[in-house]
Amino acid sequence: MTLATLQPAVQRPLTATAWPVELQQALQALAQFGGGRPTQTLVTPVAAVAVVSMHGLWPAWLTLEGQRVAAPQLSAPIELEVAPRTDSPADKTIRRLISAYTKVLREPMQLPVSCYPDWPRVRAVFNHLLALQAVCHQLRVVDQPLTFTAFGPLAAETAALLQRGGVQLARHPMMTPWRQAFSPAPVLPAIVIDGTRAPRGRADAGQKADAYRRARLRERQSFARPAHPAFDRQAQPLHYAQTQPDDYTVFDLEFSSGSARQGWFITEIGALRVRGGQIVDAFDRFLKIPPHLQLNSQSQQLTGIDAALLTRYGQPPQEALADFLGFIGEDPLLGFSVKGGDLAVLARQFDLTPAPGRLLDVALLAEAGGPMPGLPEVSLSKYRDYLGLGTLLAHGAIYDAVTTHALYAYLRAHPVAPTVLAKQLQRTLR
């Protein structure tokens, strides 16, 4: 199979009546091009569903670090419950299938713990599937050379596939996931493509009650105005910190964002002071709703923070901001994926930008070589589960600050046990 013969095979239009056979032929051509097992790449119609066996897309044997090893046993098929659109090219559905499969392989929380010893081989399969996807994309943009970035183990067969497909290769290391991140389930979860969107998260009654408990719990402290505030009102380009501090303040914001009438405004500020890897103090403030603005309903659903809480327990925004800056003091500052959310709302509501070189975005560290690298869309709640912090609520500023601190410690090869983090947080919140 050459690149010239692969292109028409994977770009052929799918018909309304014969698409399972046509899709199977396209997948088998791709498997053959990538050194896989075409006869084990099958599309089987079952009533209104097609079951797609993907494990023939990668070779039976992989060469890793000069060693020839058997590919892992990853036999979960994909249930394709939505027929491809008539006359759509086969490679569009192929890319969708690969995306669904690799979405499972990329996250240790979805892999059975039996995959833990086989993680290098599992990651090699992940990279091989994405390389096949990159080749399909390269065939669509023949005049624009693509670069495939591989994080973690890469088989020699995958490198050869990319070379044949005209795709350039960039390699980066990644962290080895830790055992506790894997699922206790005995097998891979079912992979279903049904065309529906995942439901939006909602706060449960316990989360709402916890927000009220924290709002009543904290007494206001006084903080001296820092000589060098972490944020100021001088417009300046965003420059992240280039060093990784041992002592720092880590923060997170909950905020309401909506229409011009609703506005953007902060509802909760959570921050932790960390010294030598330990949480030594905590800051958790709820803010009143600014005049003439309304709390976004989606924000209430996600966080459990409602207008009644903010009216009764909220602090005037300018006072809360001054206390927050005083709590930070002269510390370096850590946040998670701050640019489009936390920094945006600080700029809109208070006209503030971070001091140059003061702020470190932990999401960028994780993207560069963490447990799920190269994926800026990985949410903090996923990392919370990965780190075993399921007992901490996903949408609460103080809890998200804990998760950011735990992720930073993990990325620096100093993971903290969830029970230890919980005790440190409880002690500081009393």
Side-chain angles (χ1 to χ4, degrees):
M1 174 68 66
T2 65
L3 199 61
T5 55
L6 176 66
Q7 185 169 17
V10 298
Q11 293 181 0
R12 64 182 298 182
L14 300 177
T15 62
T17 56
W19 70 263
V21 173
E22 294 161 348
L23 179 60
Q24 176 176 295
Q25 291 171 345
L27 282 166
Q28 289 178 342
L30 188 62
Q32 183 179 350
F33 184 82
R37 297 152 286 171
T39 58
Q40 296 183 37
T41 307
L42 305 172
V43 180
T44 307
V46 179
V49 178
V51 178
V52 184
S53 299
M54 300 282 287
H55 58 276
L57 283 176
W58 58 86
W61 291 85
L62 303 169
T63 306
L64 296 173
E65 304 296 334
Q67 298 285 328
R68 190 167 170 79
V69 296
Q73 297 297 316
L74 302 170
S75 56
I78 295 179
E79 296 179 9
L80 185 59
E81 297 184 355
V82 180
R85 187 173 299 175
T86 301
D87 294 330
S88 67
D91 62 339
K92 183 175 181 179
T93 300
I94 289 173
R95 293 198 302 270
R96 191 177 184 188
L97 292 168
I98 291 176
S99 293
Y101 208 90
T102 53
K103 187 175 181 180
V104 172
L105 296 186
R106 83 183 188 192
E107 298 180 9
M109 299 88 72
Q110 299 201 55
L111 296 174
V113 72
S114 59
C115 287
Y116 174 68
D118 296 333
W119 177 81
R121 293 186 293 157
V122 173
R123 187 68 190 187
V125 166
F126 171 91
N127 280 326
H128 194 83
L129 288 172
L130 288 187
L132 290 172
Q133 192 178 55
V135 169
C136 287
H137 187 44
Q138 182 67 81
L139 290 173
R140 287 284 175 187
V141 289
V142 291
D143 297 329
Q144 304 174 28
L146 299 179
T147 298
F148 171 70
T149 302
F151 291 89
L154 185 83
E157 291 77 8
T158 306
L161 153 70
L162 291 166
Q163 186 174 17
R164 290 199 307 276
V167 179
Q168 300 176 18
L169 172 62
R171 297 193 60 178
H172 293 277
M174 69 173 287
M175 297 182 64
T176 300
W178 59 357
R179 185 183 179 89
Q180 79 175 50
F182 287 77
S183 168
V187 295
L188 279 172
I191 304 173
V192 180
I193 300 178
D194 58 8
T196 61
R197 294 185 177 183
R200 293 182 180 271
R202 295 182 66 93
D204 58 22
Q207 185 168 334
K208 184 173 182 177
D210 182 78
Y212 271 84
R213 179 189 64 81
R214 288 186 287 113
R216 292 190 296 265
L217 183 65
R218 297 293 286 173
E219 295 182 1
R220 182 175 176 184
Q221 299 172 265
S222 297
F223 300 96
R225 178 179 174 82
H228 305 93
F231 297 91
D232 58 45
R233 288 185 169 85
Q234 296 179 2
Q236 49 201 337
L238 176 60
H239 294 296
Y240 289 114
Q242 300 300 310
T243 59
Q244 298 181 16
D246 296 321
D247 300 331
Y248 51 86
T249 293
V250 55
F251 83 105
D252 187 83
L253 306 178
E254 295 295 345
F255 56 90
S256 178
S257 60
S259 63
R261 182 180 179 185
Q262 292 171 325
W264 280 53
F265 56 90
I266 298 169
T267 57
E268 182 189 4
I269 302 174
L272 304 168
R273 183 176 293 130
V274 178
R275 296 292 182 266
Q278 294 196 30
I279 300 170
V280 298
D281 202 358
F283 179 95
D284 193 15
R285 296 289 170 83
F286 294 89
L287 282 65
K288 291 187 180 298
I289 301 173
H292 312 301
L293 297 182
Q294 296 178 357
L295 188 62
N296 181 276
S297 60
Q298 183 181 343
S299 172
Q300 295 182 64
Q301 292 172 2
L302 289 173
T303 66
I305 300 172
D306 58 22
L309 182 152
L310 299 178
T311 299
R312 182 172 182 181
Y313 298 107
Q315 188 178 353
Q318 290 291 348
E319 292 182 13
L321 175 65
D323 287 345
F324 174 48
L325 295 177
F327 180 83
I328 298 169
E330 305 295 325
D331 272 8
L333 197 60
L334 269 61
F336 183 90
S337 196
V338 293
K339 187 174 182 180
D342 293 352
L343 296 188
V345 72
L346 282 167
R348 288 195 183 202
Q349 187 174 2
F350 299 110
D351 195 27
L352 289 177
T353 56
R358 187 82 175 266
L359 174 63
L360 182 68
D361 193 331
V362 178
L364 299 180
L365 294 181
E367 182 185 342
M372 288 175 275
L375 301 166
E377 78 278 11
V378 177
S379 67
L380 192 59
S381 60
K382 284 186 182 294
Y383 282 124
R384 175 207 60 184
D385 293 336
Y386 179 95
L387 295 164
L389 301 174
T391 56
L392 297 179
L393 299 177
H395 289 285
I398 195 70
Y399 299 117
D400 286 350
V402 173
T403 303
T404 302
H405 159 58
L407 178 60
Y408 179 66
Y410 175 79
L411 292 170
R412 302 184 77 208
H414 300 297
V416 184
T419 53
V420 173
L421 284 169
K423 288 180 180 179
Q424 292 177 4
L425 179 64
Q426 290 170 4
R427 184 171 62 247
T428 58
L429 284 177
R430 287 176 182 169

